[in-house]
Amino acid sequence: MKSRDDGATAGPQLGRRQFLGAATIGAGVAATGLSGPAAAYEGPSPQVDFPADPRTFGGGPPSTNNRAEIDLFDCEVEGHLPDLDGCFYRVGPDPQYPKPAKFSGDIPFDGEGHVSMFRIKDGHVDYRTRYARTQRWKAQHAARRSLFGMYRNPMTDDPSVKGLSRGTANTQLFVHHQKLLVFKEDSPPVYMDPWTLETRDDYYTFGGKLGSQTHTAHPKIDPLTGEYVSFGYEATGLASKDVHVFTADKNGNVTWGVTVQAPYAAMMHDFAVTQKHVILMVTQMAANLPQMQAGGVHFAYDSTLPVYIGVLRRGGDGKDVRWFKGANLFCTHVMGAWCDGDRITLDMDGGEGNQFPFFPSVREPFDPVKAQGRIRRFTIDLTRKSNDTYQVETLYPEVTGVLSRQDDRFHTLPYRWGFLSAGRSWAIFDHANKTSQLVTVPDYALSEMTFVPRKHDAPEGDGYLIGIGSSMKEAGRSDLILVDVKDIAAGPVARVKMPFKVVGQVHGFWADARQLPAV
Amino acid sequence: MKSRDDGATAGPQLGRRQFLGAATIGAGVAATGLSGPAAAYEGPSPQVDFPADPRTFGGGPPSTNNRAEIDLFDCEVEGHLPDLDGCFYRVGPDPQYPKPAKFSGDIPFDGEGHVSMFRIKDGHVDYRTRYARTQRWKAQHAARRSLFGMYRNPMTDDPSVKGLSRGTANTQLFVHHQKLLVFKEDSPPVYMDPWTLETRDDYYTFGGKLGSQTHTAHPKIDPLTGEYVSFGYEATGLASKDVHVFTADKNGNVTWGVTVQAPYAAMMHDFAVTQKHVILMVTQMAANLPQMQAGGVHFAYDSTLPVYIGVLRRGGDGKDVRWFKGANLFCTHVMGAWCDGDRITLDMDGGEGNQFPFFPSVREPFDPVKAQGRIRRFTIDLTRKSNDTYQVETLYPEVTGVLSRQDDRFHTLPYRWGFLSAGRSWAIFDHANKTSQLVTVPDYALSEMTFVPRKHDAPEGDGYLIGIGSSMKEAGRSDLILVDVKDIAAGPVARVKMPFKVVGQVHGFWADARQLPAV
């Protein structure tokens, strides 16, 4: 238990990953295969006790899971809070219930989505957290037990929940057309009220116009038009190769949609958008039906599969989609992308091998060295019709990390500033000068950061990095940290001191008050 | 900061007391006296930052104050939860805002009342906390700053809050006539919904029939009739000697009320009731108007003042009140009381000297040895009209502690089982056999406990002790602990594992579901 506790101190997400990095590749497979359909639950709901073993779903010391829905009005603030008016939203998995023993090998990313919000205005900060009231959450809440089996494997569910959305809304969130949309890439968004965090729609389909059964956790906004650009993979059903790409205008009206076929069904966690193109990426983390049929999780990593980058024109009919191959890098998150005519540049972080050790590997065991992420700059030349390869260059090879970010106002455009979670630090990249800086806060392990512009019309990169720091001295506590990108040497400009460890996050998002509904 | 942190680990209340025991006797006096009326607040509300100095109001490391209103559905439970159906309520001070520097010497017990509830049923536990929405809380919430000055000193308030109740509802709570009543002894109760913890009435006066400006934090219920017996001291205004004693029937209708005069105005924190009598106690913690006029807190300890015990008949006209003197013990809480005809027995815990070091002492400095509490058995013989002295005997001299409790179903009646917070342990006393036992939980510091009957009609003392234990190994965490009084050797029967340190408490109360409104 001690080692897990230490891991957790190193940041909600990082700690879990570090721990899981040491797990065997058998993780993600149910302890026993299923023989025939599972029985519907019966009898009184069991006492709630998560396992002590940190290798199991929700397991570890009692502080492993948070599960508490909180309102903390007027948080304590040290330093000088910048003159901001907006909300910092975060979401991550937070297991609602322990799994039955046969599913205890499920992965942490199958926890139910717990949304948190720091409302910042006039030098004051209010904190609020709520679980997304997904169809799944509501069914389990009523039954006081887990009813959904393994990660993205509907074959393992209790018969009582057949037909309900399996979505956990635990990965990323986004404000568009004045709605807080919360994402899990196997299902449509969940729409929550951006102020109250009340769930308004547990299955949001853009007024019935969503042409996919799924929706990415990483939609993009075109900063020039406010247009929402998004996609869903496995769009027509479990392990399907269909990828649906669509746009909605700034009011959320669907304006375009096409379905294309991926070379094979695999995890497509993020994507990129230029002013002209949509860029898809097929990783070697493939949907694995036999594994699901045996009661395991959705994906398995196969290093022998080729990585593909797909490109199609925005607004086209999809028939122009082209798939490019090249160095087999395992990339997860997009930093930025743009085009110069039909020459595309795409920056992602990625490793030479699998970065998700909690999924089974069908070939070699997990290799933590190959998993190390670096900034990979892909270039794709669409002008030569016969070209079917992408080029890739590693930028800043001295910096390793995950969870790329940029100043979100420059998605689709040439950009200068990029950000990365680098161990317990935040890395800042200046692509103009090809330099990198590290933001460290003594005695804190920093989680994923989000960039916040100093003003809504500030120049690119002029603003703050905001994110959670876990105190390494005060076990069980974490703070919100704000750093001025233009003066990182000064240390954090403000620290929002929380009385406890806040709920963990996968991703965060900053929404300026201008994007939010009038109060 | 380290020493405060360690203190906090030793139980929310005990830690604070232990720390404060080392404070100088200057505490409780404003840093600067007031010259003329205070100015109304103006300008933007200040950034919220509690001081780092743990000797100041709300000061210490960020985990010092909790302030988070929480819903945690289906807490983790280890062991086997008994078959109980009811709610364990708790309340304690939790500073809503830091005080301006001139009031930073205010005492911890001036924090706003934060109520928490563990709802136990069918082997499941739901946790909820809410601040009592007192008039004070609402005014400060709207202004985003502290507006009330020193502890029970209205002369130090911001002019904008003149006329509002100063009550913090931070001391004890009680369910009667299906209402959760939350108490601060300087003001009427606050009525909260027992299920939602929503504040229904910020100034509850029993339908306008409360004949006092104040109300004790320790009313009693007559177990034979369900009658509510209560009182208020300083009943007619600041530092008044008037004590109002009253009863209400089981539906909350006021049935009797008289006002008597105390020998002097002083803290009367608890009181006792027999089947025939009401028993009042005047301590040496006297209301001190000059100190208030100088900007200090309400009370000062004066060891030269005599302690009085007052006795009057229930249902009489109050003219029969008699005041008894004897050994000058400083007693705070009643364990039990009963009468045999007109011979009264009263058990309290108390020390030979001041137990509240955070209040100024007008004579000698605080003496931690004299502060040690032991069980004091007072006997008062009313049969001799000329008698004006009480007798007192120390029971179980080997056990020191505070916060006496009993099986509440035996208030007013001869009783056998008593309970005491003894350091980090719980002491159980069997008055029939004159024996004591200590309940200790390895690696936990136990806060005040409450007795929960095994069934509503179980024999006296047949049930569980329930209370918060602070983990001494996992800094920043605390659990709800349940121990079977009939088998303490087996250790806790259940532990409700919380993901964080729960909000502190002064007192707790168990309400059986039979006492609560139908859902």
Side-chain angles (χ1 to χ4, degrees), chain A residues 57-78:
Chain A
F57 179 83
S63 61
T64 302
N65 310 308
N66 181 296
R67 304 174 73 242
E69 296 184 309
I70 293 173
D71 282 280
L72 203 173
F73 187 80
D74 246 337
C75 301
E76 297 187 45
V77 180
E78 190 178 84

Side-chain angles (χ1 to χ4, degrees), chain A residues 60 91 96 133 183 200 333 418 445 514:
Chain A
V91 67
Q96 182 187 7
R133 261 55 173 170
F183 307 112
R200 293 285 181 84
H333 290 105
R514 292 160 180 261

